[in-house]
């Protein structure tokens, strides 16, 4: 059966091998062909890592299990022999679907520039066929300039640009692509804009060519460009930001516009306008799986609510839900998606569940009330009859059983005494 040359370019901000982007990948693959596409993975951006083979294997497993796509790794994409590089280049040129994702933009640029890979990728965009899916670090290489994330954020180099592959010039777009645009991983410090933050992005923005704009792609978000029809669609959990000279226009998930309208936005000095050439952008956000950090927080919250309510089944369910979600995210190749923190929370919930089981989930007041309150009523009656010795015997017995008794003007109050070792803990 003849293949359909769909001509798609997908630019993802993050989450490229996470549950949040499964539906996006499936939608792209479904438009490729009625039979099995020839799919290729470029591992260059993370090719410097010692666990490169493991990352590639996890990505292959993700696409096979979640998307139904069997993916081959292109050889020679990280400094292997020339024979490997020739075979890898041939795979890039003939593939129906090409994917590249996390790692270092600088490392990818250094290797792709030394090989004819950049020219082959540009040819795929200039003469559309199949699909090209670039995410995270790979996406950052596509513009006229690129952010060297590792050097600035992790090494402490002064903010600077690297020359990019300028693949989007094939679409007449003079832009810089910044993935992870809405990142909040820093918590107390600003890690938006691919970990640059506003201060460093402002410095870099001054160094941009006058005719260049920034395309910021949010995490768990994809910009799908139909190269044949000239259309652009924003899908996922976030949006696409077009920024020039500190002014931004955000196109939210569900927005569609033409490639010509996107070009106009990148060249406009009035990015705060709500319409593009008279066409309103109508967001229509589809339900998407929540990122792992959100699920982790939700499971911990549900666990605590259940613990306070003494609901053992709900506590167990929160633990099981978190464990299952960690398993689902196991194929994700992005190291910053919160897996380590989620596992730490899971261990904490299991320990807290054990403590709750040892202490008993039922409120001790509810358990003891049917015994204690009749005895206190008897003690009160004995005191009214001036049988103080018998009344004191009841008080002494309740105190010995671990209760505290307080006589007030409003009546007698009681509580369960806290053991000294427990209060110290």
């Amino acid at each position: 059966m003849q293949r359909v040359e769909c001509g798609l370019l997908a630019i993802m901000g993050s989450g490229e091998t996470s549950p949040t982007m499964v539906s996006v990948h499936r939608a792209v693959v479904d438009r490729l062909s009625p039979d099995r596409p020839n799919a290729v993975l470029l591992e260059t951006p993370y090719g410097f890592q010692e666990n490169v083979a493991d990352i590639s294997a996890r990505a292959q497993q993700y696409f096979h299990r979640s998307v139904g796509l069997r993916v081959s790794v292109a050889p020679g994409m990280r400094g292997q022999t020339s024979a490997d590089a020739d075979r890898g280049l041939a795979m890039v040129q003939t593939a129906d679907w090409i994917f590249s994702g996390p790692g270092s933009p600088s490392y990818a640029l250094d290797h792709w520039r030394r090989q004819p890979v950049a020219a082959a990728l540009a040819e795929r965009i200039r003469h559309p066929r199949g699909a090209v899916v670039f995410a995270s670090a790979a996406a950052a290489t596509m513009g006229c300039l690129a952010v060297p994330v590792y050097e600035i954020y992790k090494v402490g180099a002064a903010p600077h640009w690297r020359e990019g592959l300028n693949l989007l010039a094939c679409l007449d777009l003079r832009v810089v692509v910044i993935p992870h645009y809405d990142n909040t991983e820093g918590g107390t410090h600003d890690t938006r804009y691919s970990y640059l933050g506003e201060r460093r992005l402002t410095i870099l923005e001054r160094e941009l060519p006058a005719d260049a704009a920034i395309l910021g792609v949010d995490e768990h978000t994809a910009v799908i460009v139909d190269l044949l029809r000239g259309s652009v669609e924003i899908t996922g959990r976030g949006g696409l930001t077009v920024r020039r000279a500190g002014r931004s226009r955000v196109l939210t998930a569900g927005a569609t516009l033409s490639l010509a309208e996107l070009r106009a936005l990148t060249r406009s000095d009035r990015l705060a306008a709500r319409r593009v050439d008279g066409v309103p952008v109508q967001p229509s956000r589809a339900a998407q799986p929540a990122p792992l950090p959100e699920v982790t927080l939700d499971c911990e919250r549900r666990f605590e609510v259940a613990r306070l309510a003494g609901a053992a089944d709900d506590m167990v369910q929160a633990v099981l839900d978190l464990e299952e979600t960690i398993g689902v995210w196991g194929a994700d190749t992005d190291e910053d998606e919160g897996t380590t923190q989620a596992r730490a929370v899971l261990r904490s919930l299991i320990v807290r569940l054990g403590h709750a089981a040892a202490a008993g989930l039922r409120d001790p007041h509810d358990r003891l009330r049917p015994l204690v309150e009749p005895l206190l009523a008897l003690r009160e009656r004995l005191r009214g009859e001036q049988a103080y010795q018998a009344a004191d015997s009841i008080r002494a017995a309740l105190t010995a059983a671990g209760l505290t008794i307080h006589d007030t003007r409003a009546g007698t109050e009681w509580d369960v005494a806290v053991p000294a070792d427990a209060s110290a803990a």
Side-chain angles (χ1 to χ4, degrees):
M1 195 174 293
Q2 187 175 6
R3 292 188 180 279
V4 177
E5 303 295 352
C6 65
L8 291 182
L9 172 63
I11 305 173
M12 297 182 173
S14 80
E16 55 272 12
T17 52
S18 75
T20 60
M21 302 304 285
V22 168
S23 61
V24 179
H25 285 301
R26 287 177 178 171
V28 171
V29 172
D30 286 347
R31 292 178 59 180
L32 279 177
S33 165
D35 56 359
R36 188 172 66 186
N38 173 21
V40 172
L41 165 66
L42 307 184
E43 59 187 6
T44 314
Y46 56 87
F48 63 96
Q49 297 184 206
E50 292 296 322
N51 63 337
V52 56
D54 176 61
I55 296 174
S56 295
R58 281 190 285 137
Q60 289 175 294
Q61 181 185 60
Y62 168 85
F63 287 114
H64 183 213
R65 292 185 177 180
S66 300
V67 186
L69 188 64
R70 292 188 178 275
V71 179
S72 300
V73 177
M77 295 292 107
R78 49 187 176 92
Q80 292 101 320
T81 65
S82 57
D84 286 333
D86 289 340
R87 287 195 297 119
L89 177 61
M91 292 175 69
V92 171
Q93 292 170 329
T94 59
D96 302 307
W97 178 93
I98 299 172
F99 170 81
S100 192
S104 165
S106 297
Y107 188 86
L109 288 169
D110 289 342
H111 282 266
W112 283 338
R113 277 217 189 85
R114 291 201 299 264
Q115 302 166 329
V117 176
L121 292 170
E123 186 68 12
R124 297 294 299 259
I125 297 173
R126 193 176 293 112
H127 301 288
R129 62 176 303 272
V132 176
V133 182
F134 266 29
S136 298
T141 69
M142 301 184 74
C144 58
L145 299 171
V147 177
V149 178
Y150 276 61
E151 293 87 333
I152 296 175
Y153 183 63
K154 294 192 174 183
V155 181
H160 64 285
W161 294 109
R162 287 284 307 268
E163 182 182 353
L165 298 180
N166 207 18
L167 298 178
L168 296 182
C170 300
L171 305 179
D172 196 20
L173 288 172
R174 179 77 160 157
V175 294
V176 171
V177 177
I178 300 184
H180 297 278
Y181 200 73
D182 63 342
N183 180 272
T184 58
E185 185 183 333
T188 58
H189 66 281
D190 189 1
T191 52
R192 293 172 298 167
Y193 321 132
S194 200
Y195 306 94
L196 289 174
E198 181 67 36
R199 181 185 66 83
R200 286 181 291 204
L201 180 61
T202 301
I203 294 172
L204 285 174
E205 201 168 24
R206 299 191 197 107
E207 305 301 320
L208 280 178
D211 59 345
I214 292 171
L215 293 185
V217 186
D218 286 347
E219 298 191 322
H220 306 282
T221 302
V223 179
I224 310 295
V225 183
D226 189 320
L227 301 170
L228 296 176
R229 293 183 175 88
S231 63
V232 181
E233 177 185 3
I234 319 301
T235 184
R237 292 177 56 85
L240 168 68
T241 299
V242 181
R243 172 168 168 153
R244 283 194 63 182
R247 296 182 179 181
S248 297
R249 170 67 190 275
V250 179
L251 307 177
T252 56
T256 59
L257 66 162
S258 70
L259 192 52
E261 289 167 343
L262 179 60
R263 289 192 197 101
L265 269 180
T266 65
R267 298 165 185 173
S268 172
D269 292 327
R270 294 182 295 176
L271 291 176
R274 293 187 175 275
R275 293 170 180 263
V276 182
D277 293 342
V279 179
V281 175
Q282 297 292 341
S284 177
R285 185 188 300 270
Q288 295 285 335
L292 182 55
E294 291 184 19
V295 176
T296 302
L297 288 173
D298 179 66
C299 287
E300 187 171 23
R301 179 193 59 78
R302 286 165 46 207
F303 182 94
E304 279 303 302
V305 170
R307 184 186 66 81
L308 294 173
D313 290 345
D314 291 343
M315 293 170 67
V316 171
Q317 191 59 54
V319 172
L320 293 176
D321 288 348
L322 180 55
E323 188 277 333
E324 180 181 10
T325 304
I326 291 173
V328 170
W329 282 76
D332 186 29
T333 56
D334 193 329
E335 295 179 349
D336 297 320
E337 286 296 350
T339 306
T340 301
Q341 175 63 19
R343 289 198 178 103
V345 171
L346 178 63
R347 290 174 63 88
S348 172
L349 295 187
I350 292 172
V351 170
R352 284 139 74 177
L353 183 62
H355 287 166
L361 289 171
R362 188 179 176 187
D363 190 334
H365 295 81
D366 294 336
R367 188 172 64 252
L368 296 174
R369 189 172 287 109
L371 173 65
V372 173
E373 293 192 350
L375 288 174
L376 290 177
L378 174 60
R379 173 176 176 265
E380 189 64 25
R381 181 163 58 84
L382 291 171
R383 292 176 68 189
E385 297 172 355
Q386 298 185 355
Y388 296 115
Q389 186 173 0
D392 290 343
S393 297
I394 293 175
R395 180 189 181 106
L398 293 174
T399 301
L403 303 181
T404 58
I405 308 299
H406 303 284
D407 292 316
T408 69
R409 292 182 179 181
T412 302
E413 298 177 353
W414 65 278
D415 202 348
V416 179
V418 179
D421 55 349
S423 61

